[in-house]
Amino acid sequence: MSQQGYVATPPYSQAQPGMGGYPAGFGSSPAQPLYGHYGGQPQSFPAPPTGLMKPVSSPSGMPPSEVSSQYGSNIQQNGAHPQRYPAPPAAAAASPYGQPPNSTYHTMAPQAPAQQLTNQMGSMNLGYGPGPMQNPQAPPTSPPAQQPFQTAPPPTMGQSTLGPPPAGPHSPQMAPPQSPLAGPSMGGHPSMGGHPPMGGMGRPFPGPPPPGSGGFQQPGPGAAGQPGYPQQPQGQFGGQMAGPFQGGAAHMSGPPQKKLDPDSIPSTTQVTEDDQAKRGGQVYTTNLRGQVPPLVTTDFTVQDQGNASPRFMRCTTYSFPCTADLAKQCQVPLGAIIKPFATVPKNETPLYVVNHGETGPIRCNRCKAYMCPYMQFIDGGRRYQCGFCNCVNEVPTFYFQHLDHMGRRVDLYERPELSLGSYEFEATLDYCKSRPAFSASIRGEPSQTVTAETKQRPVLCPSSTFLTNGGQSDVTVLTAPRSKQANNKPASPPAYIFMIDVSYANIKSGLVRLVCEELKTLLDNLPREDGAESSTVKVGFVTYNKILHFYNVKSALAQPQMMVVSDTAEMFVPLLDGFLVNFQESRAVINNLLDQIPDMFADTNESETVFAPVIQAGVEALKTAECSGKLFIFHSSIPTAEAPGKLKNRDDKKLINTEKEKTLFQPQKGVYEQLSKDCVSQGCSVDLFLFPSQYVDLATMGDVPTHTGGSIFKYSNFQVEMDGEHFLSDLRKDVEKAIGFDAIMRVRTSTGFRATNFFGAIHMNNTTDVEMAAVDCDKAVTVEFKHDDKLSEETGALMQCALLYTTVSGQRRLRIHNLSLNCSAQLSELYKSCETDALINFFAKSAYRAMLNQPLKTVREILVNQTAHMLACYRKNCSSPSAASQLILPDAMKVFPVYLNSLMKTGPLVGSAELSTDDRAHQRLIATAMGVEDTQLLLYPRLIPLHNMDVASDVVPAPVRCSEERLTDAGMFLLENGRSLFLWLGQACPPELVQRVFNVPSFTHLPADLSSLPVLDNPQSKKLRSIIDSLLDQRPSAMKLLIVKQKDRSEMLFRQHLVEDKGPHGGASYMDFLCYVHCEIRQVLT
Ligand SMILES: [Zn+2]
């Protein structure tokens, strides 16, 4: 979220000064090269230089760490390391982080995929290239297997080549050639100008409508027009969609068009399968700079040998261009997606915790980077040169170690911070004053004052710099007014406060009783430190409607006590002692309370609620207790009661596809903005469980959660029987998950580039410090980098993410993730090292942010234009000459178009009045904090055929492409995208299978509202349920199973996720989109 919620972003059309500036008319002149992303922050750094934490001298001691590693409780004791981390071979070991790219990953864009694509393309008889029969305008040519590739460049770059785009089932809608430069079957597309085939994106086109909308429908069972398939409303997008193609209808309607084989365009499932086949089951060692990791969908094991695991950090490319000019030319965003608390599988080593005692972590005097493998020891080990700013620092006496004949410290493999990409430091007490230290970092951090020129020269920093910090004494700053723990107090264990809306709706639905029952057992599973017997997280309880009720659940009480606060304008916490307690100690009183709550409000007829005062109450309680924590709010309706943060219904479908549509997603400012700041300042994260039966202004209600590292769960028209288990699964995962509190993250970089933009459930007070009231194992921050100087191929690009946080037991820790990338003056290196899944994460987050300030139409145009520029630049600079009619894609990006098209069809960006505004706002907000695996799955769901599964094996059937064409009437398919889970049944599904899975004789006997599978004792039922269980287990949120019968009305929900098809709410099919992108690329190239 960064500052966007608080600071108006510059409009797109406004030229950005400084590096990476936007050309004028961002969006209005699509052919202009664009650089960067939406809503970029001002490029200059007006704020004073900042840093993360800065230790001052003479801290008092810290308690010994609870070490989970064989390093022992402090670093002097460890010694078993060489076995675990054997030195890499001499060549690599000599300077594993400073070498030019090893050839290892040159082989990662091998010939095999290209050949595979060749084979795929071979079947592309029609529409691709001047095929013998399919295209009447082209002469016959050689056999299909050769033709798209015969002029293609050698596959040294591993690229995908597509012939002229297809004139397949869609050709009747494609316009005839209107440009002499246009290829035979693509000719119509230039007429689309800068307008992709999206609802709302095309300008009105004259001409008769196409023959129904049938021409656009995907072939296969259940095509539109059949019973049960609502026709696309022309008013929404049909006309606009059809527009660009209309001219072609007559022209192309002559000869019958043979159906195009959809296997011929790049396939995500194929790419996923290939990577799994090639890299699955292997150990991925992180000892090479710029190494591209396996895909997120691939099962692999990580061995940390100096770079952070891809579970923690992934990049859009692992080879940065050397200059800003090159970056601007290719328009590939330079980004990292950082998931600092990513779950580490059991077979991988958890992070080591390093304790340097009172001294605290060793940091570069100038840039404050933490000790890491990129520091080079010199002068016999007495000094080290910082890999980030080149400053030469003295090695503290206690840390001194001799160097071996290679110039490496002899204890290299005994110290995590010298040999690993990720590790933690025990923070000294200086780091515990989180806010004051944070203030200090803003004022005292000198790194940003160092100019690029001076940074490039090795400079000896006198140690006095450390103390005086450029004239600003830390001590002075530490007593700044923001101080909340100014007395060097250690942090306290966090608290979880459960805040239950007990208004009529939640009582009537049975939700209140459900929550209270669940908490009795759930609170035994509060997160705890590894190895700890019990959790130290405290708990507290509030109920509310128009007023708030606090409960004293002190263990000494026989009965819980309620205290009412009815003045919601001046929220305060009426009790200090007994509100936040240890669950184990107060179990009897708490259970008593949880038993009583549903009955106490059973007869309520209060339907109005407050909301902002509830959050305020939670923050105040944590403030009083001097701890961080999380609020779990279970809320039903739009807060209309007279109180701060009162909201009104501002949903207006008439705004859709207008300039004002963005206002639907902009949160109401004022109270909620201030609340977010209060929450972040206190380390108070807010998780919101919503149970609405109508519009609740989710854009506003979700604002605080999405600035505080929180989550938003939504259960519309909640019914305990139908949705109870789904909700409880979410709640359990949410309460139990690994999490850190009161976090501040800083991303440092080596000379020549820096982090300029941040996306996530975060808050930013300045341009560099990412504040998160909490950060859990599923939350990711996407960071964009820009050049501020040249990068060197020799030294590469280094980044260090340092996250200061409070553990669930109240310890202050620093978690460090380091990653080294290559730099190259050759764009081909960049394209070869791209990661599509990370790229689409970046595009999704930037587009979802941009839609707050720009019309959706503009946002979609920018997405397409940037994509076209990325691909055109590749074509122009990295591929061998070939016919303009061929679509040539870099191998690492060959499925990027299908993801991008899917992104543009997501609820937030599609602009359809059929979708609920709250649902769109919800999806926008949750995607903001998603990691790479989540966006990958969201934008390309898994469609798993089940009718032919081998019940004897444990293997899950391979997913097929997300298109209706892959469904069969006699089939049964599971579809999941991490948010939704469908079981689709074809009309001709074999009765035996239906019987075995559902225990009814046939398809027609299936009840319409079925939402769960019976537990049956046969192999089919068992296997299917085990597949579903394992999927649910892997995903961050629970998914409710929806059983969909072919041609039922509910099938619309399912069809939205068939992302290769035309979207039911607007948006082009993959095939059409690829044609369109090809056309845009050609425009760029001419
Ligand atoms: Zn430095």
Side-chain angles (χ1 to χ4, degrees):
M1 305 307 295
S2 86
Q3 294 174 289
Q4 300 312 313
Y6 306 117
V7 181
T9 42
Y12 277 5
S13 53
Q14 182 180 319
Q16 300 289 310
M19 162 201 70
Y22 293 85
F26 204 60
S28 59
S29 59
Q32 283 254 24
L34 307 170
Y35 182 48
H37 52 82
Y38 322 98
Q41 300 185 9
Q43 299 303 326
S44 59
F45 261 64
T50 62
L52 192 67
M53 296 300 136
K54 181 171 175 0
V56 292
S57 53
S58 66
S60 48
M62 281 291 286
S65 60
E66 296 184 16
V67 180
S68 57
S69 76
Q70 85 271 34
Y71 276 103
S73 60
N74 70 53
I75 211 56
Q76 275 77 17
Q77 291 176 354
N78 65 52
H81 216 46
Q83 290 88 342
R84 289 192 67 91
Y85 295 97
S95 150
Y97 312 106
Q99 293 289 353
N102 182 295
S103 64
T104 297
Y105 86 87
H106 286 250
T107 63
M108 286 172 53
Q111 316 213 347
Q115 185 55 48
Q116 193 141 18
L117 193 73
T118 306
N119 297 337
Q120 281 186 16
M121 296 297 300
S123 58
M124 207 167 182
N125 292 345
L126 270 182
Y128 274 80
M133 26 188 236
Q134 44 288 66
N135 197 322
Q137 296 168 359
T141 57
S142 48
Q146 298 167 17
Q147 69 160 263
F149 291 96
Q150 56 193 177
T151 59
T156 49
M157 283 298 302
Q159 67 191 6
S160 305
T161 309
L162 299 181
H170 314 294
S171 58
Q173 279 70 44
M174 290 183 183
Q178 297 191 351
S179 154
L181 297 171
S185 56
M186 274 305 295
H189 290 280
S191 69
M192 290 153 66
H195 305 273
M198 276 293 294
M201 292 181 76
R203 58 187 173 222
F205 279 79
S213 53
F216 264 113
Q217 302 303 329
Q218 292 296 319
Q226 294 182 28
Y229 284 80
Q231 284 287 337
Q232 304 299 344
Q234 294 287 319
Q236 295 306 331
F237 60 87
Q240 290 159 310
M241 289 293 297
F245 299 100
Q246 283 172 11
H251 196 88
M252 303 286 282
S253 59
Q257 297 291 321
K258 194 175 162 189
K259 184 175 153 188
L260 179 75
D261 180 3
D263 280 336
S264 55
I265 51 178
S267 158
T268 297
T269 50
Q270 191 65 51
V271 167
T272 306
E273 258 178 56
D274 292 347
D275 197 67
Q276 176 67 35
K278 198 168 92 197
R279 308 183 76 177
Q282 298 182 8
V283 175
Y284 174 73
T285 53
T286 67
N287 57 340
L288 292 176
R289 194 180 80 190
Q291 190 177 201
V292 184
L295 297 180
V296 279
T297 44
T298 297
D299 292 321
F300 60 99
T301 305
V302 181
Q303 189 179 21
D304 184 340
Q305 288 193 357
N307 284 290
S309 159
R311 305 191 198 287
F312 296 122
M313 287 176 92
R314 280 186 176 267
C315 292
T316 54
T317 177
Y318 291 80
S319 178
F320 277 10
C322 279
T323 64
D325 278 350
L326 277 177
K328 190 170 179 173
Q329 194 185 339
C330 71
Q331 298 208 19
V332 175
L334 306 179
I337 295 92
I338 306 174
K339 202 191 242 189
F341 276 88
T343 306
V344 175
K346 289 202 166 43
N347 60 345
E348 293 177 14
T349 315
L351 298 198
Y352 295 100
V353 182
V354 178
N355 187 356
H356 285 327
E358 295 182 6
T359 319
I362 295 169
R363 309 176 66 177
C364 170
N365 286 339
R366 184 197 279 166
C367 74
K368 306 300 171 203
Y370 293 85
M371 182 51 66
C372 68
Y374 314 141
M375 304 297 187
Q376 192 173 4
F377 287 83
I378 53 174
D379 199 10
R382 284 185 293 274
R383 294 195 277 178
Y384 67 93
Q385 183 171 2
C386 174
F388 297 91
C389 73
N390 294 327
C391 173
V392 174
N393 297 270
E394 303 284 341
V395 173
T397 314
F398 84 91
Y399 202 69
F400 174 79
Q401 185 53 266
H402 293 286
L403 308 184
D404 66 12
H405 67 288
M406 307 284 290
R408 297 172 305 183
R409 282 173 64 114
V410 298
D411 62 352
L412 180 69
Y413 294 103
E414 295 163 24
R415 290 188 178 273
E417 75 276 20
L418 297 180
S419 53
L420 298 181
S422 300
Y423 43 87
E424 294 199 325
F425 286 114
E426 289 287 342
T428 53
L429 279 178
D430 307 291
Y431 294 87
C432 297
K433 309 167 303 252
S434 63
R435 293 313 129 184
F438 174 56
S439 302
S441 75
I442 294 172
R443 293 181 53 190
E445 171 69 65
S447 69
Q448 296 298 338
T449 60
V450 180
T451 64
E453 298 81 66
T454 59
K455 276 174 84 176
Q456 281 187 322
R457 289 195 308 263
V459 183
L460 177 62
C461 299
S463 56
S464 60
T465 306
F466 175 64
L467 297 173
T468 61
N469 210 358
Q472 297 203 32
S473 158
D474 273 353
V475 179
T476 313
V477 182
L478 287 169
T479 58
R482 278 194 78 190
S483 166
K484 69 172 189 213
Q485 297 170 4
N487 302 322
N488 280 17
K489 276 193 199 171
S492 310
Y496 283 7
I497 305 179
F498 297 88
M499 315 183 90
I500 308 170
D501 163 5
V502 290
S503 67
Y504 178 77
N506 273 355
I507 293 289
K508 182 166 168 265
S509 71
L511 176 79
V512 174
R513 192 172 294 278
L514 189 69
V515 171
C516 289
E517 274 305 310
E518 180 66 23
L519 287 180
K520 286 189 217 168
T521 50
L522 183 54
L523 295 183
D524 275 320
N525 301 330
L526 292 168
R528 65 185 82 168
E529 201 78 36
D530 283 345
E533 267 187 28
S534 61
S535 174
T536 50
V537 174
K538 294 199 198 83
V539 293
F541 304 88
V542 171
T543 56
Y544 67 94
N545 38 49
K546 268 161 70 174
I547 57 176
L548 280 78
H549 325 103
F550 294 80
Y551 297 93
N552 185 342
V553 284
K554 205 171 165 181
S555 59
L557 295 173
Q559 283 278 327
Q561 295 170 346
M562 179 202 273
M563 287 170 206
V564 177
V565 176
S566 53
D567 182 4
T568 51
E570 295 288 333
M571 187 44 62
F572 68 100
V573 178
L575 72 166
L576 297 176
D577 192 28
F579 178 64
L580 294 177
V581 299
N582 179 295
F583 175 65
Q584 319 293 341
E585 289 166 12
S586 290
R587 181 190 299 271
V589 192
I590 289 173
N591 284 349
N592 188 329
L593 171 69
L594 294 170
D595 280 336
Q596 288 188 45
I597 286 175
D599 296 331
M600 269 192 287
F601 301 98
D603 299 324
T604 187
N605 49 21
E606 183 56 69
S607 59
E608 285 199 314
T609 55
V610 295
F611 182 62
V614 179
I615 298 176
Q616 190 71 54
V619 180
E620 295 300 328
L622 296 181
K623 258 184 211 166
T624 309
E626 295 186 341
C627 67
S628 53
K630 181 143 94 163
L631 313 182
F632 296 79
I633 304 180
F634 307 92
H635 190 93
S636 65
S637 58
I638 189 165
T640 52
E642 208 51 59
K646 174 183 172 178
L647 298 175
K648 61 178 193 298
N649 188 335
R650 61 190 181 101
D651 190 17
D652 186 356
K653 291 280 168 68
K654 288 197 294 295
L655 299 183
I656 288 169
N657 286 323
T658 71
E659 287 279 323
K660 287 186 175 166
E661 181 170 7
K662 57 181 184 254
T663 61
L664 294 174
F665 304 103
Q666 293 165 348
Q668 301 291 290
K669 296 282 180 188
V671 171
Y672 291 99
E673 189 176 358
Q674 185 56 46
L675 262 183
S676 290
K677 289 179 183 172
D678 290 352
C679 283
V680 171
S681 164
Q682 185 57 40
C684 171
S685 178
V686 178
D687 278 3
L688 180 58
F689 294 79
L690 274 171
F691 305 86
S693 55
Q694 54 195 352
Y695 175 81
V696 292
D697 191 357
L698 198 143
T700 302
M701 292 192 74
D703 194 44
V704 177
T706 43
H707 280 94
T708 58
S711 303
I712 308 165
F713 304 87
K714 180 165 171 282
Y715 314 88
S716 299
N717 302 307
F718 179 80
Q719 291 177 273
V720 167
E721 316 77 55
M722 304 285 290
D723 310 292
E725 195 46 47
H726 177 204
F727 155 64
L728 290 180
S729 303
D730 277 335
L731 178 60
R732 286 175 202 135
K733 284 190 181 214
D734 196 43
V735 167
E736 296 168 11
K737 70 168 76 167
I739 188 167
F741 291 92
D742 204 7
I744 302 176
M745 185 175 102
R746 174 75 185 264
V747 180
R748 288 184 171 79
T749 52
S750 53
T751 305
F753 75 113
R754 60 191 156 92
T756 56
N757 214 343
F758 302 85
F759 306 86
I762 58 175
H763 172 75
M764 295 192 73
N765 259 324
N766 58 53
T767 51
T768 50
D769 293 288
V770 180
E771 294 189 75
M772 290 171 281
V775 51
D776 65 45
C777 55
D778 302 316
K779 299 288 187 301
V781 178
T782 297
V783 182
E784 183 180 25
F785 300 100
K786 294 256 168 90
H787 288 77
D788 50 15
D789 201 353
K790 274 192 182 145
L791 299 176
S792 142
E793 290 192 343
E794 190 190 342
T795 55
L798 313 179
M799 47 186 82
Q800 179 178 77
C801 164
L803 183 95
L804 176 66
Y805 74 101
T806 302
T807 69
V808 288
S809 63
Q811 293 182 48
R812 208 71 176 141
R813 290 240 185 102
L814 277 150
R815 178 169 284 218
I816 312 291
H817 296 301
N818 302 291
L819 189 61
S820 60
L821 308 182
N822 285 330
C823 297
S824 176
Q826 305 301 319
L827 282 177
S828 56
E829 290 295 321
L830 175 146
Y831 282 101
K832 196 162 59 181
S833 306
C834 271
E835 191 184 310
T836 286
D837 298 330
L839 270 174
I840 198 64
N841 177 284
F842 183 93
F843 273 74
K845 291 188 182 187
S846 54
Y848 282 178
R849 180 189 290 175
M851 61 183 277
L852 288 182
N853 303 304
Q854 293 283 291
L856 292 186
K857 177 174 177 289
T858 310
V859 174
R860 292 186 303 237
E861 280 172 7
I862 293 167
L863 288 172
V864 174
N865 288 326
Q866 189 171 356
T867 302
H869 274 87
M870 291 193 312
L871 299 175
C873 178
Y874 173 80
R875 171 71 179 251
K876 189 174 169 191
N877 297 289
C878 310
S879 74
S880 309
S882 55
S885 58
Q886 284 187 321
L887 173 58
I888 297 177
L889 304 169
D891 192 59
M893 273 192 208
K894 69 182 172 199
V895 290
F896 185 75
V898 74
Y899 283 107
L900 188 85
N901 187 39
S902 175
L903 170 63
M904 297 204 301
K905 291 189 282 187
T906 56
L909 289 175
V910 81
S912 163
E914 291 169 55
L915 299 172
S916 113
T917 303
D918 276 345
D919 282 346
R920 296 175 67 197
H922 186 210
Q923 191 174 343
R924 192 186 85 78
L925 292 175
I926 56 179
T928 298
M930 279 186 177
V932 176
E933 43 286 270
D934 297 336
T935 46
Q936 189 276 332
L937 189 58
L938 183 76
L939 296 173
Y940 203 94
R942 223 143 289 176
L943 180 61
I944 304 170
L946 297 170
H947 40 279
N948 293 325
M949 61 186 174
D950 176 7
V951 291
S953 101
D954 287 339
V955 178
V956 176
V960 297
R961 300 174 72 151
C962 286
S963 166
E964 211 169 288
E965 290 193 36
R966 308 290 156 166
L967 304 176
T968 55
D969 283 3
M972 181 162 77
F973 292 83
L974 199 64
L975 184 147
E976 66 115 4
N977 71 348
R979 310 295 310 176
S980 308
L981 178 64
F982 297 92
L983 183 59
W984 181 93
L985 281 102
Q987 282 176 315
C989 197
E992 316 82 67
L993 184 60
V994 175
Q995 177 71 49
R996 285 174 165 261
V997 172
F998 297 97
N999 207 21
V1000 296
S1002 76
F1003 179 86
T1004 48
H1005 290 80
L1006 280 170
D1009 58 347
L1010 203 59
S1011 69
S1012 64
L1013 294 177
V1015 177
L1016 302 172
D1017 187 19
N1018 67 65
Q1020 281 80 7
S1021 173
K1022 281 181 182 166
K1023 169 129 188 179
L1024 175 51
R1025 285 182 289 111
S1026 98
I1027 291 175
I1028 291 174
D1029 287 347
S1030 93
L1031 287 177
L1032 289 175
D1033 197 46
Q1034 292 167 34
R1035 305 298 172 231
S1037 57
M1039 294 180 278
K1040 178 183 169 185
L1041 179 66
L1042 286 172
I1043 293 163
V1044 175
K1045 292 165 73 178
Q1046 187 180 13
K1047 293 189 169 46
D1048 265 9
R1049 273 207 80 76
S1050 60
E1051 206 182 8
M1052 268 291 270
L1053 289 171
F1054 170 79
R1055 292 205 331 154
Q1056 287 178 38
H1057 302 289
L1058 299 177
V1059 297
E1060 293 202 7
D1061 299 346
K1062 184 177 172 239
H1065 301 291
S1069 71
Y1070 177 26
M1071 191 82 79
D1072 286 343
F1073 183 71
L1074 207 52
C1075 292
Y1076 178 72
V1077 167
H1078 187 188
C1079 169
E1080 290 289 296
I1081 291 170
R1082 294 173 67 176
Q1083 277 206 327
V1084 173
L1085 292 175
T1086 53

